[in-house]
Structure formats: C-alpha cells, structure tokens
Amino acid sequence: MTASLVAAGVAALVVLVVLVRAVKIIPQAHAAIIERWGRYLRTLDAGLHTIVPFVDRRRLLVDLREQVVAFPPQPVITIDNVTISIDTVFYLTVVDPVRATYGVVNLLDAIEQLTITTLRNVIGALSLDQVLTSRDHINADLREVLDEATERWGIRVNRIELKSIDPPASIQQAMEKQMRAERDKRAAILTAEGEKQASILTAEGDRQARILRAEAEQQAEVLNAEGDRQAKVLRADGDAEAIRRVFEAIHEGRATPEVLAYAYLQVLPEVADGQATKLLMVPSDALPGIAAATALGAGLQLGNGSAPVGQAAS
C-alpha cells in the first residue's frame, strides 16, 4: 500500500514536471526561440504553446518593443582638428528574432561599437560649425548607415538623436566671446538704425510742419486779399450809393448850373487827391458856370463870415 502511494506520487510529480516543461506562455510583444537538440526549430509568438519536454528548449525570449539605448559620451575629432564629446541615444526595434539571436554574439555591444565607428566617420567629414548647426543632418546620416548595417542582425533603426555636443573648454570660451561680440554688434546696429529712423521721422515732421505753416500763411494771405477785395467792393458800392443819392437829391431839388458847377469844384480836390499824376478835363461850356459858382461860393463864405471881403476879392 505504501509502495503504491509512493509510486503514484512519483508519477504525479513526473507528470507535473513534464507539463511544466511542455507548456510555454509567451508574453505580449515578445517572441521565443525554440531549439531541438541544440538546433533552431521555430519561433513562438505571444500566447500559449506546447513543446516536447526534454527535447525542445527555449533558447531566448526576445523583446519586440522599441528599445532605447543610451551610449556614454564619445570623443570625436572634426575635420578642423577639434575634439568634441558627443552623447547619443539609439532607438531600435527587433524585427527578426532569429537573426537577432544568431546573427551577433552581443547585440547591444555590437550596436554601440557600430554607432561609435559610424559617428566618427560622419563627424570626421564635418567642421565644428557644421556639427553644431547640422544636428538633424547628422542624425539622418547616422540612421541611414546604421539601418543598413544592422539589417543583417534583424534590427530596425527607428532614429538616432545626439543628446549633447560638448566642445573643449577653450572652444566654448571662444564661442561665448564670439556670441557676445555678435550680440553687441546687433545691439549697435539696432541702436544706429533706431537713431536713423528717429532722425528721418524728425526731419519728416519738420518738413510737414513747414509745409503746413506755409499753407496756413498762404491761406491767410488769400483770406486777407479776399477781405481787402470785399472791403473795396463794399466801399465802391457805398460810394456808388452815395453818388446815386446825391444825384437823386440834386435832380429832386432842381439845382441850377451854378450850383452844379460849385459842387463840381468841391469834389475836384478829392478827385485830384493822391500821389499819381492826374489830368482833369473841364468842359468849355462849363467854364461860365464855374466862374459864377466861384463867385457864388465866395458870396456864401462872406455871408457866413468865414473870410474877410478883401481876401475874397483878391
């Protein structure tokens, strides 16, 4: 009885071990390499699988997700003999687990050495200024070369990034001085440009002010001339109205020729007033009336007592 129980227990243990070794569960985004008697047999995808125990063996579980590999900084010499330190980051994906397992002994070490060699070849053909300003171009060149070289290892290079590019301390100091000088130069240029623009705006403002002042003066002169003309027109209209009223008064009063001649003599000094030379035309038929008017005016002055008789006679 005891022997049968022991045998049953041993048989159950053997069955359990066989089941454990025969059933394989592969996680998602992974692949398993199965060998039979040391030779490659097949590749197991994610899920539940069974193998022949003690005959088949799982060689390696390969991660199919994108992997990020950071390499330590590497010294690289540019074409102008400047040693710089470059830190790189490598993004890769295993696309063929078989070649990734059997194609190279140590995949990450092989990728690191290949990256360093390729990086030195690419950087060695560029100057320091090109390296500092052409990071995207360097990344594209590295990716193209490494993707072609790692294809036989079952690796796809997704991208390569240069984390940092560190020139020597002396070069950094020189670059800082150059940048400082460039900033000072740009500041001086901007200051000069601002002063130039300010001078231009000031001159333009002065010119506009002079133009407006001249236009205002011209407008004032036009208005003054117009005012003078209107004043002369109004003055002439007033004189015409006065003459018309005098003419009407004379005709309404039916003045004699002597009175008209006397009025003519009174207006004559005003007509002759002025600095310009004037030629006065007196009709011959008006001379007797003028003489009579002169005598009449003298009599009127004597009657008013405005002048002595001796003076009027003379």
Side-chain angles (χ1 to χ4, degrees), residues 201-267:
L201 294 177
T202 302
E204 184 67 21
D206 294 340
R207 186 179 71 86
Q208 292 292 336
R210 289 195 298 269
I211 292 174
L212 294 176
R213 194 180 301 112
E215 291 178 353
E217 293 176 355
Q218 182 181 5
Q219 188 69 20
E221 292 177 358
V222 171
L223 293 176
N224 291 333
E226 183 66 21
D228 294 340
R229 188 182 68 82
Q230 292 291 337
K232 291 179 180 179
V233 170
L234 294 176
R235 193 179 301 111
D237 292 340
D239 294 340
E241 181 67 19
I243 293 172
R244 185 182 63 79
R245 291 185 179 183
V246 171
F247 181 77
E248 290 178 355
I250 292 173
H251 280 278
E252 289 177 359
R254 295 182 178 181
T256 61
E258 290 80 4
V259 175
L260 294 175
Y262 181 72
Y264 176 78
L265 290 176
Q266 286 181 338
V267 177

Side-chain angles (χ1 to χ4, degrees), residues 149-167:
T150 57
E151 183 180 2
R152 64 179 181 271
W153 297 339
I155 302 298
R156 183 180 67 244
V157 178
N158 297 327
R159 65 184 184 273
I160 298 176
E161 297 292 340
L162 301 181
K163 290 177 58 178
S164 61
I165 301 176
D166 299 326

Side-chain angles (χ1 to χ4, degrees), residues 168-212:
S170 59
I171 300 296
Q172 292 183 3
Q173 294 176 0
M175 292 172 60
E176 291 177 358
K177 292 181 180 179
Q178 182 180 1
M179 293 175 60
R180 192 180 302 112
E182 185 68 23
R183 286 194 296 267
D184 295 340
K185 175 184 176 182
R186 288 198 298 267
I189 291 174
L190 292 176
T191 302
E193 187 68 23
E195 294 177 353
K196 175 183 176 182
Q197 191 68 21
S199 301
I200 293 174
L201 294 177
T202 302
E204 184 67 21
D206 294 340
R207 186 179 71 86
Q208 292 292 336
R210 289 195 298 269
I211 292 174
L212 294 176

Side-chain angles (χ1 to χ4, degrees), residues 43-71:
T43 301
L44 301 182
D45 298 329
L48 180 64
H49 301 274
T50 59
I51 61 175
V52 178
F54 306 104
V55 176
D56 298 340
R57 182 177 67 92
R58 191 185 73 178
R59 166 67 184 273
L60 185 66
L61 187 63
V62 181
D63 194 343
L64 302 179
R65 296 173 296 179
E66 184 177 26
Q67 303 181 34
V68 181
V69 181
F71 299 135

